[in-house]
């Protein structure tokens, strides 16, 4: 299923679709800046993997929706430039994806191939 079709389907189900464009990002700092902005993380959220994971695990400060779909695009530059960091990013995204939240809201993650 194309990402646009998936995004449309989950949006119709009441989910919030969140694009995360990583085009041009080649390091963890760039990832953290883009992700924090896309997810509208609070200012106090730290800019390291554990802080990112914690913030994503408690997104009750965001809008009340049944779920959020994080659509990650443009990630290949980062994966190529820093494969070990990208592996960490994927592990963190995987750990928060599908986790039931305190406010009964799920975060799902999709990496696009285009």
């Amino acid at each position: 299923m194309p990402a646009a079709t998936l995004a449309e389907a989950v949006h119709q189900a009441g989910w919030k679709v969140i694009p995360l464009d990583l085009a041009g990002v080649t390091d963890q700092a760039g990832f953290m800046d883009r992700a924090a902005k896309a997810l509208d993380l609070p200012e106090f959220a730290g800019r390291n993997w554990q802080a990112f994971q914690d913030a994503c695990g408690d997104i009750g400060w965001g809008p009340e929706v049944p779920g959020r779909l994080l659509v990650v695009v443009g990630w290949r530059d980062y994966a190529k430039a820093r494969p070990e960091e990208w592996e960490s990013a994927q592990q963190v995204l995987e750990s928060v994806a599908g986790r039931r939240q305190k406010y009964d809201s799920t975060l799902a993650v999709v990496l696009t191939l285009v």
Side-chain angles (χ1 to χ4, degrees):
M1 173 182 291
T5 305
L6 176 62
E8 291 168 6
V10 299
H11 179 71
Q12 289 178 0
W15 283 43
K16 181 176 181 178
V17 177
I18 305 166
L20 172 55
D21 187 353
L22 297 178
V25 169
T26 57
D27 61 15
Q28 181 179 351
F31 175 90
M32 292 295 168
D33 288 344
R34 297 267 181 100
K37 185 174 183 176
L39 290 164
D40 197 24
L41 297 179
E43 289 293 321
F44 60 82
R47 295 296 194 263
N48 61 59
W49 297 126
Q50 186 61 51
F52 178 74
Q53 185 174 3
D54 291 346
C56 288
D58 183 17
I59 53 178
W61 37 260
E64 291 188 26
V65 294
R68 293 165 179 83
L69 176 65
L70 183 64
V71 180
V72 184
V73 300
W75 53 270
R76 291 180 191 257
D77 288 342
Y78 185 24
K80 185 176 180 180
R82 306 264 176 113
E84 291 178 8
E85 279 185 19
W86 176 241
E87 181 67 28
S88 295
Q90 289 181 90
Q91 290 173 356
V92 169
L93 291 172
E94 182 179 345
S95 75
V96 299
R99 184 188 299 167
R100 297 302 283 177
Q101 307 301 330
K102 177 179 177 182
Y103 296 90
D104 199 27
S105 181
T106 298
L107 176 67
V109 179
V110 173
L111 302 179
T112 66
L113 297 177
V114 292

